[in-house]
Amino acid sequence: GGLAALCTLGRSEFLVLPFIVLFWFFIRKTLAHRLQHSVFLLLGFALVMSPWVIRNTRHFHRFTVNTSGRGEAFYVGHNPEYRFGGVGPHLPPEVIDQLKGLNELQIADRMTQFGLQYIRQHPGVAVITLIGNVLVMCRPFLTPGFVPWSQNLIYTLSTFPILLFFLMGLQEIYTLEERDGWILLLLIVVVKILAVLPFYTVLRFREVVSPLIVVIASFGFLAWRTSRHARLQAAQKAVS
């Protein structure tokens, strides 16, 4: 619970993390263990989060769990200038006028309204944006034009095999007899990626769960190495 809270303070989309673990508890544990583990999980989460929540609530005079940047992140991903990156749009004068005199949370609420209004006016663009964000989170290269091609090449050569072994590792994890804990790690990766899709999306958002991706990819690598070793032995026997 405490670790989930620290993750949430670092990245707000991890606010769903304790609920993922609770879901896992209620699927895999007995009733007594469900209650016991759930209480300790929520207690640890609440203890670590409470100073920040109390501070925000007192400062803004409304219940606020974590960041106020959600509105800006949502608007950046849903406006005519969005090109699948983290570069913010130029705010029209009429938008700037509506933000004057507002505090952080009021600005977040107003910019969320702007983003929702754009989605209602351009539903087709919103669907394309969602698909594009999925591709951004899955791609093995950095944004062309923002980094030198040499750095992009190094990143691609090192990242593409990891993503490939990650896909292979998914199948290997499913075949394990003791796979419950590994499935929980996979759920964390999937939910983390899904949580950022409604906002603007850049590849660095994936790097938060890159260690988990590497761990799952290791299963795919070990399976590939075992299969390759078996093929080499079979070829040697055939030759001899």
Side-chain angles (χ1 to χ4, degrees):
L3 290 175
L6 292 176
C7 291
T8 302
L9 292 175
R11 295 293 311 178
S12 59
E13 57 267 21
F14 280 115
L15 182 62
V16 300
L17 182 56
F19 300 101
I20 298 174
V21 180
L22 283 175
F23 174 75
W24 184 76
F25 282 166
F26 275 80
I27 291 179
R28 308 308 307 175
K29 304 291 184 179
T30 62
L31 179 59
H33 286 95
R34 289 174 188 172
L35 297 176
Q36 181 183 10
H37 291 175
S38 298
V39 167
F40 281 110
L41 171 70
L42 295 177
L43 181 61
F45 186 79
L47 286 176
V48 177
M49 286 294 297
S50 57
W52 184 250
V53 174
I54 293 172
R55 178 264 174 194
N56 282 348
T57 302
R58 294 182 62 182
H59 181 75
F60 295 111
H61 305 290
R62 55 185 275 192
F63 180 75
T64 306
V65 177
N66 50 4
T67 180
S68 60
R70 53 180 170 76
E72 180 181 2
F74 188 75
Y75 178 73
V76 170
H78 299 283
N79 70 84
E81 299 182 23
Y82 182 55
R83 297 296 182 271
F84 304 105
V87 180
H90 298 287
L91 297 179
E94 59 272 15
V95 172
I96 297 177
D97 291 338
Q98 295 186 51
L99 300 179
K100 291 180 179 179
L102 303 180
N103 62 34
E104 292 179 36
L105 291 185
Q106 291 171 337
I107 291 175
D109 293 340
R110 189 62 58 85
M111 297 193 78
T112 300
Q113 294 174 4
F114 294 151
L116 291 174
Q117 181 180 2
Y118 182 79
I119 291 175
R120 288 192 292 266
Q121 294 174 348
H122 307 88
V125 175
V127 173
I128 295 175
T129 296
L130 184 62
I131 296 174
N133 286 343
V134 172
L135 296 177
V136 168
M137 291 297 288
C138 297
R139 72 186 186 189
F141 57 89
L142 302 173
T143 304
F146 282 83
V147 295
W149 69 266
S150 56
Q151 295 181 15
N152 211 337
L153 180 62
I154 294 173
Y155 182 88
T156 299
L157 291 177
S158 59
T159 302
F160 181 76
I162 294 176
L163 296 179
L164 183 61
F165 285 130
F166 172 79
L167 295 177
M168 297 172 60
L170 297 181
Q171 180 180 359
E172 295 301 315
I173 287 177
Y174 184 76
T175 61
L176 294 176
E177 293 184 3
E178 300 293 335
R179 59 177 179 266
D180 296 345
W182 298 110
I183 291 178
L184 176 60
L185 292 184
L186 178 60
L187 281 175
I188 294 173
V189 173
V190 172
V191 172
K192 155 64 184 174
I193 293 176
L194 292 178
V196 302
L197 296 183
F199 305 90
Y200 81 89
T201 302
V202 291
L203 196 55
R204 62 183 173 86
F205 291 166
R206 189 181 70 199
E207 302 307 319
V208 178
V209 291
S210 287
L212 301 183
I213 293 176
V214 171
V215 169
I216 296 174
S218 64
F219 284 91
F221 173 76
L222 293 175
W224 169 80
R225 189 180 68 172
T226 301
S227 176
R228 180 174 179 272
H229 182 67
R231 289 197 302 269
L232 289 175
Q233 285 186 327
Q236 291 174 355
K237 290 180 179 179
V239 171
S240 61

